[in-house]
Amino acid sequence: MDGLKECFEENKDKEKREKFTCSFECFFKHHNVLDDNGEPSKEKLLAKVEGFEGEWKQTSIKIIEDCFAKQEEMKAKHGGGEKKEGCHPASAFMNMCLGKNFLQNCPAAQWNDCELLALHKKNNELSKEKALEYAASIEEGEWREKTKEIVESCWARLDAMKELSAQKPSKCPLLYMMMQICLSKKVFVECPAAEWHTTPFCEEAKQSNCLQD
């Protein structure tokens, strides 16, 4: 995703609870899809899919409409639409909601060349050992152990991911993106209480249908 790596680098020194939300706010800003309140703009995102064709265009419009409808439902129930100090969690929520639904509904014909192509080499398997090495580098405590559990949990689903990925063969395998989404979603949902920046909006996001398996 163009700009995402740079956004995470830009926010690498922030507290863990801010790094995630600020990086995705930066990413949405980079693509000029934020409104004046610093939240994702439905109108601007819909404009991004205007160039799509046929069924994929209609599917994309529905995905965007559905994710914004869920966000509005959360705001009506719990509030959280006003601009607060720091980064707004709406971009992180919208990224996960859109990402999951676009991944699940993407037509096979649309899976062509992409940035993940370089990862798809002969015998180049996703390495649980390397993921666990990264988890071991986290500061000792509850979050390190929880991260190890998340890695184990996602890798337990690796065979199912491979099977689903094989159903949509392409130059850019679904497998890698599916694993990234699994890890990101569980990191968000399982964040320890001591690290969690509690707001009604974020708590509702944890329970969102967009984050359900």
Side-chain angles (χ1 to χ4, degrees), residues 187-200:
V187 165
F188 178 71
V189 173
E190 299 293 340
C191 182
E195 303 292 344
W196 181 247
H197 182 59
T198 302
T199 67

Side-chain angles (χ1 to χ4, degrees), residues 47-95:
K48 292 286 186 180
V49 304
E50 274 300 310
F52 293 3
E53 298 180 354
E55 182 181 354
W56 182 224
K57 179 178 180 179
Q58 297 308 312
T59 299
S60 298
I61 290 172
K62 184 178 187 304
I63 289 171
I64 292 170
E65 295 280 2
D66 287 349
C67 284
F68 274 90
K70 181 61 181 177
Q71 180 173 272
E72 290 304 313
E73 178 185 329
M74 291 162 57
K75 287 181 182 178
K77 186 176 180 181
H78 295 290
E82 69 278 7
K83 178 69 175 176
K84 294 182 173 64
E85 184 180 353
C87 300
H88 201 289
S91 293
F93 166 77
M94 190 59 63
N95 179 76

Side-chain angles (χ1 to χ4, degrees), residues 91-117:
S91 293
F93 166 77
M94 190 59 63
N95 179 76
M96 286 185 287
C97 186
L98 293 173
K100 177 180 178 182
N101 284 283
F102 273 119
L103 177 62
Q104 290 180 334
N105 292 282
C106 183
Q110 299 294 328
W111 285 93
N112 298 312
D113 294 301
C114 75
E115 294 177 2
L116 297 180
L117 178 59

Side-chain angles (χ1 to χ4, degrees), residues 121-137:
K121 300 176 182 176
K122 186 175 181 181
N123 299 323
N124 189 12
E125 292 282 339
L126 286 166
S127 172
K128 183 173 73 172
E129 289 70 24
K130 289 186 179 296
L132 288 171
E133 283 179 14
Y134 175 79
S137 70

Side-chain angles (χ1 to χ4, degrees), residues 175-194:
L175 175 63
Y176 300 106
M177 189 174 291
M178 292 170 68
M179 181 59 73
Q180 186 271 334
I181 288 176
C182 180
L183 293 169
S184 295
K185 180 182 71 172
K186 290 182 180 293
V187 165
F188 178 71
V189 173
E190 299 293 340
C191 182

Side-chain angles (χ1 to χ4, degrees), residues 132 135-136 138 143-153:
L132 288 171
I138 296 172
W143 191 217
R144 180 195 288 182
E145 297 308 311
K146 180 60 68 175
T147 303
K148 291 179 182 178
E149 291 176 15
I150 289 170
V151 170
E152 294 285 356
S153 175

